[in-house]
Amino acid sequence: MKSDFSIHSKLINEHLVIETNGYINIHGGESIAKVASSYIDSGVTKIILNLANSKVINSIGISLLIEVIEKLQVVNGTLYFTNMSPTIEKTFTIMGLFIFAQKSETVDAILQQSNS
Amino acid sequence: MKLILPCIDDIELIAQSTLDQLQTMVGFSSDKLEQSKILINEAVINAVEHSLTEMNQIFIDFEVRYDELFMTIRDTGKGFEVSEITVPNLTSKIEQKEFRGWGLSIMKNLSDDFSIHSDENGTQVRINVHLID
């Protein structure tokens, strides 16, 4: 049994924006980490993860997001989470993710903040 | 509702699907559904990864009573010493590059009530979600 998961990424004003769709388990987490790593290796230091279409996650998927945070720390980069459901935001808060990552309501809010 | 599931990867999707059906029948909010799914994910994943059971099965009971959902997840593995499980710390985990080990912490803090019992006959987790805030 496999869950449906898809990912779409684009570079906007030096920010990698990753939009996810579906359950973020090990497979989803690996997809995100793979895309993020390739862009970090090519010099991108700001990554926005848009979770508008991902309402369910598990701790294995989150552990792969922590790997992205760790990789970004090495290059003084930042991971931003946007469009989180209340439950996902609470889960990340429980784990302490916002000590090392940023959150915002929308992708545009982060992009505007960077431009100002 | 009762489920008996094999200990295989992604089997938590069956439990998630059962919660979808329960939501349709009982009518609780999407927020509560998502909360319940994240909780059941952690319980099932822990059972699959750590139960080391010869029976290779997980037993799940879903019970809705008044405005509360009770989920009981049981395996027949060799169990573990609950008191030896430490509270995870993200700073330490990043320093040690050891990113796993969050399941119990998530279940304890995201649920409205949580209990765990583990001995040589297996582990049972009981999770309570208030369906109305």
Side-chain angles (χ1 to χ4, degrees), chain A residues 1 3 23 25 27 55-60 63 66-67 70 73 85 87 91 94-97 100, chain B residues 10 12-14 16 31 34-35 37-38 41-42 45 49 90-91 94 97 99-100 102 109-110:
Chain A
M1 185 171 200
S3 62
Y23 175 35
N25 58 6
H27 311 297
K55 306 297 183 191
V56 182
I57 194 164
N58 72 29
S59 59
I60 303 175
S63 71
I66 298 172
E67 260 189 63
E70 191 265 343
Q73 279 189 331
S85 72
T87 305
T91 305
I94 289 166
M95 297 172 69
L97 257 64
F100 300 101
Chain B
D10 299 328
E12 75 274 15
L13 294 171
I14 301 288
Q16 287 187 28
D31 282 353
E34 290 156 16
Q35 179 187 0
K37 283 184 176 180
I38 288 179
N41 285 345
E42 297 309 317
I45 288 168
E49 288 195 336
L90 186 57
T91 304
I94 288 176
K97 293 184 185 285
F99 306 125
R100 297 284 312 277
W102 296 94
N109 292 290
L110 190 63

Side-chain angles (χ1 to χ4, degrees), chain A residues 29-48:
Chain A
E30 282 174 347
S31 299
I32 295 165
K34 187 177 174 186
V35 171
S37 290
S38 68
Y39 277 88
I40 294 168
D41 291 344
S42 64
V44 170
T45 60
K46 292 176 180 174
I47 297 177
I48 302 171

Side-chain angles (χ1 to χ4, degrees), chain A:
Chain A
M1 185 171 200
K2 289 275 180 192
S3 62
D4 291 329
F5 180 82
S6 61
I7 192 170
H8 177 70
S9 60
K10 56 192 169 188
L11 204 54
I12 306 174
N13 298 339
E14 298 179 345
H15 292 69
L16 172 65
V17 180
I18 301 174
E19 297 171 0
T20 63
N21 198 320
Y23 175 35
I24 303 178
N25 58 6
I26 186 169
H27 311 297
E30 282 174 347
S31 299
I32 295 165
K34 187 177 174 186
V35 171
S37 290
S38 68
Y39 277 88
I40 294 168
D41 291 344
S42 64
V44 170
T45 60
K46 292 176 180 174
I47 297 177
I48 302 171
L49 194 57
N50 182 349
L51 298 174
N53 295 312
S54 287
K55 306 297 183 191
V56 182
I57 194 164
N58 72 29
S59 59
I60 303 175
I62 301 172
S63 71
L64 288 150
L65 302 184
I66 298 172
E67 260 189 63
V68 175
I69 290 172
E70 191 265 343
K71 192 156 189 180
L72 280 167
Q73 279 189 331
V74 175
V75 295
N76 289 320
T78 306
L79 179 63
Y80 300 86
F81 293 105
T82 73
N83 301 87
M84 287 177 285
S85 72
T87 305
I88 287 184
E89 184 170 353
K90 186 172 181 187
T91 305
F92 288 175
T93 301
I94 289 166
M95 297 172 69
L97 257 64
F98 300 120
I99 298 169
F100 300 101
Q102 302 294 312
K103 60 180 171 180
S104 180
E105 298 249 324
T106 65
V107 172
D108 285 345
I110 297 165
L111 295 174
Q112 284 170 12
Q113 189 183 351
S114 296
N115 285 337
S116 60

